Amino acid sequence: MIITVYPIQKKGEKMVDANHKYDVYMKKGKLKFTPNMPDYDKAYKGFKWEDHYKELDWAPGKPLNVAHVAVERHALGPNANKTALIYVGENTEQRLTYKELHLLSNKFANVLKKYGIKKGDRVFLFISRVPAVYVAFLGILKAGAVASTLFGAFGPQAVKDRVGDAEGIMVITNATLKDRVDAVRPEMPALKHVLVVGAKEQMPGTISYEKEMEAASNKFTMEQTQPEDPCFMLYTSGTTGHPKGVIHAHMAILQEYMTSKWVLDLRPEDIYWCTADHGWVTGIAYGILGPLAVGTTILLYEGRFSADAWYSTLQKYKITVWYTAPTAIRMLMKEGKDITKKYDFSTLRSIYSVGEPLNPEAIREGLDMFGLPFHDTWWQTETGAMMITNYPCMDIRFGSMGKPFPGLAAGIIDDNGKELGPNEEGNLALRPGWPAMMRTIWKNKEKYDSYFKNGWYTAGDKAWKDKDGYFWFIGRADDVIKTSGERVGPFEVESALIDHPAVAEAGVIGKPDPVRGEIIKAFITLKKGFAPSDKLKEEIQQFVKKRMAAHAFPREIDFVDSLPKTRSGKIMRRVLKAKELGQPIGDTSTLEND
Ligand code: WTA
């Protein structure tokens, strides 16, 4: 097994807190607030999911619709006039109260009904970060349909692979991204409607969001969905094949809500910023659903990344809780600590990270820059909500992902599904049955079943557990690439590469990168008549960017004469990776017999 070893804490290494900032924060009364979960061990011991059903305004045997939990009950209660959303666009700012969001999403549900969207239909959002995302997402759930999102950097091929596979009925998009849908529309026969938000005038062959919303009624009787009915669906990548549609049920809201409350420590009076895009699971579970369920105010920042813009946003909007990712933290670190001194971050109470390993250095720097430690959280698209995390009330071990959320059991297992003891490296696994666990993979039961072994859900990550129950990440057990925290399947990139006329074969790996965690690196053999050149490299990169995704192109390309392959002709990515990392190639005999 060749795995990327990240610069995280080594086993047995002592936590280094040279400036004792963390000591001060944790031990000497610097924790100025009582967290929603004041004692982890106590909470873990006595925890029962059912004790929290009533906080969702739900009881077993009753229908459960996430839109009720996230918006309707607030709109009909004391939170009605509380701000649900602060949208910060390039030159605009807009605020929506819970009541406004409720009424707008009612309107949108009526628009969906008008166009024949029924319970269970897949409706996609392929759009930048604008308030319509919230309106449409909740409207889709109210109509009983299944909401699915696409990252705005996707090209036509990536759109087709997802919307086509899911037999999506409608895509909600904007004037800029619409062309990428049009380019593959004939290849998606189930797609009936393209709805465009924010176009100056109605575009031919599309439905206008503004026009329909103006005409629609703001009264809607929500579909009485059951807890196990599908709610949202998200495509995610593995080692092989095209991305798979992970399906989540309405019941997921229980865990999204509880973790928002106990991990993010959210309260209704918070102003919360999640920097993740709604195209990824973090943007759905913790950018939309969990925090709305708590009744908090969400900041939606549309702009691009820059240290100044981000720091100004934290200061200007008096953010209290912030959820971001290691790549962003490392990019901020690169700008230096000095510029943080220009800003006032005194409103911040708790800060969090997800998506890739959070190196101890980032926690140390975070303490210097914000006076607060980043709390790492581990989970996956498939888990639907946070699973192993650090909590404000619990001592952080720098470099550790933390401990399982109450109600969950995690372990390290060997390849046969046998549980391993402390300090033994193995596969990260969880006991199935948590509320937010994916319910199936769209039209691929075999893939779904492949996650489970010997009574465990296997995550595809390598990790170990220390004797006190803290979990430590080692790397992926498969070929999945995490670049800037975004999950990319090598197969998708390879498929896009070989569509280029010069490319004969391609093998793609994740190469460790000090800022992005990993970058995508491709090894390519060329067809006869083509010669390696920098110009060709550039052309191939652009080709993948345009066709597949702007974030998933190979930043590095090596032209090679041949690629290592199994006897059946499968490219051995692990050999490419071992060579790239200067690691021993290891036993290849099994692969050669593939
Ligand atoms: C990785 C993102 C180390 C891991 C919510 C996992 C992490 C995959 C962490 C899921 C973390 C996520 N430390 N690695 N705190 N969080 N990962 O589906 O490999 O985009 O299996 O979900 O990201 O990525 P996904």
Side-chain angles (χ1 to χ4, degrees):
M1 171 63 52
I2 306 290
I3 47 179
T4 313
V5 177
Y6 294 91
I8 52 178
Q9 197 99 346
K10 302 270 171 355
K11 242 187 258 176
E13 191 181 311
K14 270 191 110 178
M15 187 179 98
V16 188
D17 178 18
N19 303 330
H20 300 287
K21 289 222 162 107
Y22 184 65
D23 266 2
V24 172
Y25 168 82
M26 210 55 200
K27 305 268 161 50
K28 305 219 174 104
K30 197 74 195 299
L31 202 57
K32 287 189 196 127
F33 59 97
T34 309
N36 286 334
M37 180 178 75
D39 183 323
Y40 171 79
D41 291 325
K42 244 192 217 160
Y44 192 88
K45 228 182 242 158
F47 188 86
K48 284 201 204 83
W49 290 108
E50 51 268 39
D51 290 346
H52 301 275
Y53 289 165
K54 56 184 182 308
E55 293 173 58
L56 304 181
D57 190 23
W58 178 75
K62 294 257 168 67
L64 174 67
N65 190 312
V66 170
H68 172 70
V69 183
V71 72
E72 185 183 62
R73 68 186 176 128
H74 297 308
L76 302 178
N79 273 341
N81 295 319
K82 206 181 157 299
T83 305
L85 194 68
I86 306 174
Y87 160 66
V88 182
E90 196 97 328
N91 300 309
T92 47
E93 193 186 299
Q94 192 191 335
R95 288 175 193 241
L96 289 179
T97 63
Y98 273 92
K99 189 172 173 193
E100 285 166 334
L101 187 56
H102 174 53
L103 295 178
L104 286 170
S105 51
N106 275 353
K107 276 177 170 257
F108 194 75
N110 278 316
V111 175
L112 292 174
K113 285 276 163 191
K114 175 177 164 189
Y115 286 96
I117 301 296
K118 308 179 301 299
K119 189 173 174 196
D121 283 352
R122 279 80 48 216
V123 177
F124 280 79
L125 283 152
F126 182 40
I127 184 165
S128 56
R129 290 176 216 183
V130 290
V133 168
Y134 289 72
V135 172
F137 200 101
L138 294 165
I140 294 167
L141 303 191
K142 285 179 174 179
V146 182
S148 191
T149 57
L150 300 169
F151 188 40
F154 283 153
Q157 184 68 34
V159 170
K160 193 221 106 186
D161 287 344
R162 291 159 176 81
V163 180
D165 181 72
E167 294 157 51
I169 313 283
M170 180 186 273
V171 175
I172 299 153
T173 188
N174 60 23
T176 327
L177 296 176
K178 179 189 154 288
D179 288 351
R180 301 190 208 159
V181 181
D182 287 345
V184 282
R185 199 158 172 180
E187 295 166 69
M188 303 184 290
L191 180 63
K192 288 200 192 114
H193 308 292
V194 175
L195 185 143
V196 179
V197 179
K200 283 205 184 74
E201 45 196 70
Q202 186 156 2
M203 303 173 102
T206 70
I207 301 166
S208 157
Y209 175 80
E210 287 72 18
K211 221 161 132 186
E212 295 291 342
M213 288 292 279
E214 205 183 305
S217 154
N218 64 13
K219 291 195 177 55
F220 187 80
T221 310
M222 197 181 299
E223 187 72 40
Q224 301 284 290
T225 46
Q226 295 303 316
E228 292 304 311
D229 282 341
C231 167
F232 73 90
M233 172 182 194
L234 204 50
Y235 275 77
T236 196
S237 305
T239 293
T240 54
H242 288 291
K244 318 278 188 300
V246 169
I247 301 211
H248 286 290
H250 283 268
M251 197 62 197
I253 193 65
L254 176 60
Q255 195 176 339
E256 290 159 356
Y257 164 78
M258 284 307 298
T259 45
S260 294
K261 212 174 102 175
W262 283 7
V263 183
L264 297 175
D265 198 49
L266 287 177
R267 302 126 197 256
E269 60 274 20
D270 275 315
I271 301 177
Y272 161 74
W273 182 19
C274 169
T275 62
D277 189 90
H278 56 264
W280 307 114
V281 74
T282 308
I284 295 179
Y286 299 101
I288 305 176
L289 303 177
L292 287 181
V294 176
T296 214
T297 298
I298 298 174
L299 180 99
L300 175 64
Y301 173 76
E302 198 191 1
R304 288 191 165 265
F305 175 87
S306 89
D308 265 320
W310 276 35
Y311 293 149
S312 309
T313 303
L314 287 170
Q315 174 179 284
K316 179 169 175 200
Y317 294 96
K318 299 186 165 46
I319 302 298
T320 55
V321 178
W322 188 32
Y323 196 16
T324 188
T327 294
I329 298 166
R330 288 188 292 257
M331 283 161 78
L332 292 172
M333 279 161 54
K334 259 179 67 175
E335 302 290 320
K337 278 179 240 176
D338 279 353
I339 69 164
T340 57
K341 299 200 179 99
K342 287 198 292 186
Y343 299 93
D344 175 7
F345 301 128
S346 59
T347 55
L348 274 182
R349 184 176 80 247
S350 278
I351 56 180
Y352 300 86
S353 167
V354 66
E356 342 151 43
L358 178 68
N359 39 318
E361 199 48 37
I363 303 180
R364 275 179 220 125
E365 296 267 327
L367 277 159
D368 281 346
M369 298 194 295
F370 308 105
L372 298 169
F374 280 104
H375 294 81
D376 193 13
T377 64
W378 177 93
W379 58 293
Q380 308 178 292
T381 305
E382 294 89 332
T383 69
M386 295 177 190
M387 300 297 283
I388 298 178
T389 82
N390 288 280
Y391 309 85
C393 67
M394 188 181 86
D395 268 342
I396 293 174
R397 296 195 176 167
F398 292 24
S400 160
M401 307 188 287
K403 294 190 184 186
F405 190 78
L408 307 177
I412 303 293
I413 60 172
D414 69 11
D415 290 343
N416 301 314
K418 191 178 137 278
E419 192 168 4
L420 300 172
N423 295 325
E424 289 188 280
E425 295 183 5
N427 303 299
L428 180 58
L430 298 132
R431 289 292 185 196
W434 62 92
M437 188 175 96
M438 63 172 167
R439 295 307 197 256
T440 189
I441 299 234
W442 176 255
K443 291 192 170 167
N444 199 339
K445 172 130 188 348
E446 202 186 325
K447 175 70 193 165
Y448 176 76
D449 290 342
S450 74
Y451 282 88
F452 301 94
K453 180 175 257 173
N454 207 17
W456 290 97
Y457 163 90
T458 52
D461 284 349
K462 291 275 174 191
W464 59 282
K465 186 173 90 170
D466 67 23
K467 63 174 187 2
D468 302 316
Y470 282 82
F471 283 78
W472 300 74
F473 181 81
I474 300 171
R476 282 296 298 186
D478 57 18
D479 295 337
V480 165
I481 301 166
K482 265 290 171 130
T483 179
S484 302
E486 284 151 4
R487 186 162 158 180
V488 176
F491 176 84
E492 256 193 300
V493 185
E494 288 162 1
S495 310
L497 283 165
I498 56 175
D499 280 340
H500 187 279
V503 178
E505 294 169 314
V508 164
I509 62 159
K511 177 181 169 180
D513 180 82
V515 176
R516 291 191 164 85
E518 287 183 311
I519 56 160
I520 299 169
K521 170 149 193 175
F523 297 85
I524 286 174
T525 62
L526 291 175
K527 285 190 183 145
K528 275 211 178 85
F530 292 92
S533 72
D534 284 347
K535 194 168 158 269
L536 183 59
K537 252 185 215 177
E538 168 78 9
E539 192 191 300
I540 293 171
Q541 286 171 328
Q542 287 307 323
F543 179 83
V544 178
K545 252 191 198 179
K546 274 221 166 111
R547 191 183 179 85
M548 237 275 296
H551 69 291
F553 76 98
R555 283 177 191 270
E556 274 186 30
I557 293 180
D558 274 6
F559 293 115
V560 292
D561 294 333
S562 66
L563 290 167
K565 273 187 240 149
T566 62
R567 279 186 203 153
S568 61
K570 244 173 40 192
I571 293 165
M572 295 160 84
R573 297 188 193 111
R574 71 179 182 98
V575 174
L576 292 171
K577 187 148 183 170
K579 280 190 181 160
E580 181 67 34
L581 301 180
Q583 290 179 356
I585 290 164
D587 179 15
T588 55
S589 56
T590 50
L591 274 164
E592 270 158 10
N593 291 330
D594 234 12

